[in-house]
């Protein structure tokens, strides 16, 4: 069985980009693989957070994991800061990383843009992400394609460390990306990816949005003025994004959707998309409401952390031996 690892930051409401790009894969993979899914709270503090809100958000993401089909009897679900090995390996890997490669990371460049000085954690974040993955001898990392550069860095670090400290130090992982939904774009600016932290709440559809909010977000989504339902990312990014979302939720190909909607206007297409999104998120919301306030949720996370810790401790022991750290 392959080991699968991935995580989501508790930085706000999980949106359909997080779902279609990453979360949807999590449940699909758990029958044939050994899956470990984490709520990466230490990544969330790279940008200052209100402690109470962060804590609520951790449980919200955990409940959404379960609501989206992750079965705690099959997969390990836990909170990153409950397993000290993440921070420990993060430091060890930081010492094998270079400022040059970290300053080339697109996400760092975007998030630190126009800031005179950015938090150091924002800069070293990709190294902590590499530690998250390598800590579990992971082979497969299901993520959205905005994470490709971070996965490449993880692979580079693993190969570099293995070359210097022993080939048994790390398993070199691979990213896994969805064919459709790997990069869902913002509804108000379809040249940028949909994001939890974007200012305009109508730029995204959150999994817990009401039917009315979903309708409003879709109906006001930016499209062009020629009214032809055609997939052309370069010239028609808005409608192309909506076609991709429709396709990712229904499994229908973009080509078949273009045929089905030939001659229809954007209004009719958008109305149908509202139905598609609403009917897809409804069962997730129902399950979320069942689990969010239950005692079961914290129990799942506690047991998950114990299981994750047992695996992490073995890796840390091996890495420390290879690096010559500690007393022997
Ligand atoms: N727009 C997207 N389309 C497809 N996949 C996406 N992911 C994020 N945005 C999209 C994938 O969701 C997983 C979790 O992401 P994250 O929370 O760790 O951080 P992020 O990539 O920075 O996501 P956001 O929504 O943009 O959050 P903020 O605004 O807090 O930075 C990852 O697998 C990611 O690829």
């Amino acid at each position: 069985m392959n080991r699968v690892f991935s995580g989501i930051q508790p930085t706000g409401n999980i949106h359909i980009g997080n779902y279609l790009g990453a979360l949807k894969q999590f449940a699909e993979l758990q029958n044939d693989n050994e899956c470990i899914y984490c709520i990466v709270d230490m990544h969330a503090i790279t940008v200052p957070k209100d402690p109470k809100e962060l804590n609520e958000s951790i449980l919200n993401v955990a409940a959404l994991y379960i609501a989206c089909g992750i079965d705690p009897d099959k997969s390990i679900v836990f909170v990153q800061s409950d397993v000290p090995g993440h921070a420990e390996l993060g430091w060890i890997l930081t010492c094998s990383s270079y400022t040059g490669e970290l300053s080339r990371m697109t996400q760092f460049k975007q998030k630190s843009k126009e800031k005179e000085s950015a938090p150091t954690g924002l800069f070293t974040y990709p190294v902590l992400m590499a530690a998250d993955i390598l800590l579990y001898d992971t082979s497969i990392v299901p993520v959205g394609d905005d994470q490709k550069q971070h996965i490449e860095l993880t692979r580079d670090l693993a190969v570099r460390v293995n070359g210097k400290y022993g080939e048994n130090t790390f398993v070199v992982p691979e990213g896994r990306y969805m064919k459709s939904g790997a990069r869902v774009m913002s509804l108000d600016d379809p040249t940028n990816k949909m994001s939890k932290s974007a200012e305009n709440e109508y730029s995204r559809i959150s999994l817990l949005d009401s039917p009315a909010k979903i309708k409003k977000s879709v109906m006001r989504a930016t499209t062009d003025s020629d009214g032809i339902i055609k997939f052309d990312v370069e010239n028609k990014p808005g409608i192309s994004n909506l076609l991709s979302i429709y396709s990712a939720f229904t499994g229908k190909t973009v080509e078949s959707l273009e045929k089905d909607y030939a001659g229809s206007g954007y209004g009719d297409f958008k109305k149908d998309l509202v139905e598609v999104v609403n009917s897809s998120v409804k069962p997730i919301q129902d399950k979320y409401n069942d689990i969010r306030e239950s005692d079961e949720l914290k129990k799942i996370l506690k047991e998950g952390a114990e299981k994750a810790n047992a695996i992490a401790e073995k890796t840390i022991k091996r890495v420390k031996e290879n690096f010559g750290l500690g007393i022997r």
Side-chain angles (χ1 to χ4, degrees):
M1 277 231 233
N2 282 317
R3 176 82 50 77
V4 171
F5 175 91
S6 195
I8 294 189
Q9 298 185 67
T11 43
N13 291 327
I14 303 292
H15 52 72
I16 59 167
N18 302 131
Y19 176 70
L20 295 172
L23 203 38
K24 193 160 167 269
Q25 303 188 62
F26 293 5
E28 288 167 8
L29 286 163
Q30 68 186 343
N31 291 327
D32 306 314
N33 301 280
E34 195 186 338
C35 296
I36 304 178
Y37 297 123
C38 182
I39 295 117
V40 287
D41 57 343
M42 294 204 297
H43 288 277
I45 58 165
T46 51
V47 175
K49 288 276 166 321
D50 174 79
K52 204 162 170 278
E53 274 174 29
L54 174 60
N55 220 260
E56 283 291 304
S57 212
I58 290 170
L59 294 175
N60 294 348
V61 176
L64 269 176
Y65 274 7
I66 310 296
C68 289
I70 295 173
D71 177 351
D73 290 331
K74 293 182 183 158
S75 302
I76 298 176
V77 184
F78 73 104
V79 181
Q80 182 190 29
S81 62
D82 285 342
V83 176
H86 290 259
E88 212 172 344
L89 189 58
W91 174 252
I92 294 172
L93 285 176
T94 300
C95 298
S96 289
S97 67
Y98 293 102
T99 52
E101 61 192 350
L102 297 187
S103 47
R104 284 194 292 276
M105 295 293 122
T106 318
Q107 213 172 65
F108 171 71
K109 286 198 241 172
Q110 277 166 356
K111 291 198 172 176
S112 61
K113 205 163 55 185
E114 287 158 23
K115 285 198 178 84
E116 206 176 296
S117 182
T120 312
L122 203 56
F123 185 64
T124 56
Y125 160 113
V127 184
L128 181 59
M129 175 168 159
D132 300 337
I133 296 165
L134 300 178
L135 189 58
Y136 297 100
D137 294 336
T138 304
S139 317
I140 302 169
V141 191
V143 278
D145 84 355
D146 61 313
Q147 294 297 332
K148 269 189 180 155
Q149 206 186 17
H150 293 161
I151 299 292
E152 276 318 303
L153 177 80
T154 304
R155 290 170 55 81
D156 288 349
L157 283 169
V159 169
R160 186 179 304 155
V161 168
N162 285 356
K164 194 156 185 204
Y165 297 97
E167 291 299 331
N168 74 335
T169 315
F170 293 128
V171 171
V172 182
E174 283 190 24
R176 184 180 190 272
Y177 311 96
M178 296 299 271
K179 281 202 179 70
S180 79
R183 185 180 290 246
V184 176
M185 307 308 279
S186 156
L187 298 180
D188 68 340
D189 173 6
T191 58
N192 275 319
K193 75 160 191 153
M194 187 175 283
S195 168
K196 290 187 220 94
S197 51
E199 244 169 63
N200 179 3
E201 62 167 320
Y202 294 102
S203 68
R204 62 184 161 263
I205 298 171
S206 298
L207 290 181
L208 301 176
D209 275 350
S210 67
K213 156 78 173 34
I214 291 174
K215 186 173 178 195
K216 203 165 169 189
S217 307
V218 172
M219 296 313 286
R220 59 189 275 177
T222 303
T223 42
D224 51 73
S225 55
D226 74 13
I228 300 166
I229 297 172
K230 188 172 178 301
F231 189 82
D232 176 352
V233 174
E234 202 154 306
N235 300 306
K236 296 165 71 65
I239 193 68
S240 301
N241 186 35
L242 299 183
L243 277 163
S244 297
I245 294 171
Y246 198 133
S247 163
F249 272 117
T250 58
K252 291 184 183 169
T253 63
V254 164
E255 296 74 37
S256 75
L257 290 172
E258 284 175 338
K259 275 193 201 127
D260 291 350
Y261 286 96
S264 304
Y266 288 159
D268 287 338
F269 175 80
K270 283 178 167 180
K271 269 188 209 144
D272 288 355
L273 181 57
V274 170
E275 288 307 311
V276 164
V277 178
N278 271 327
S279 59
S280 305
V281 299
K282 172 85 171 60
I284 296 174
Q285 295 184 351
D286 289 347
K287 197 155 180 210
Y288 173 89
N289 291 330
D290 285 345
I291 184 97
R292 176 61 181 85
E293 298 305 331
S294 74
D295 295 338
E296 184 65 14
L297 190 60
K298 286 185 184 165
K299 193 166 159 261
I300 290 169
L301 295 173
K302 201 166 167 283
E303 285 174 7
E306 279 163 18
K307 290 183 199 159
N309 206 29
I311 303 171
E313 277 178 352
K314 283 192 196 147
T315 310
I316 291 291
K317 185 170 178 285
R318 185 180 71 229
V319 172
K320 283 176 75 174
E321 271 169 20
N322 288 8
F323 273 74
L325 291 164
I327 302 167
R328 235 139 292 287

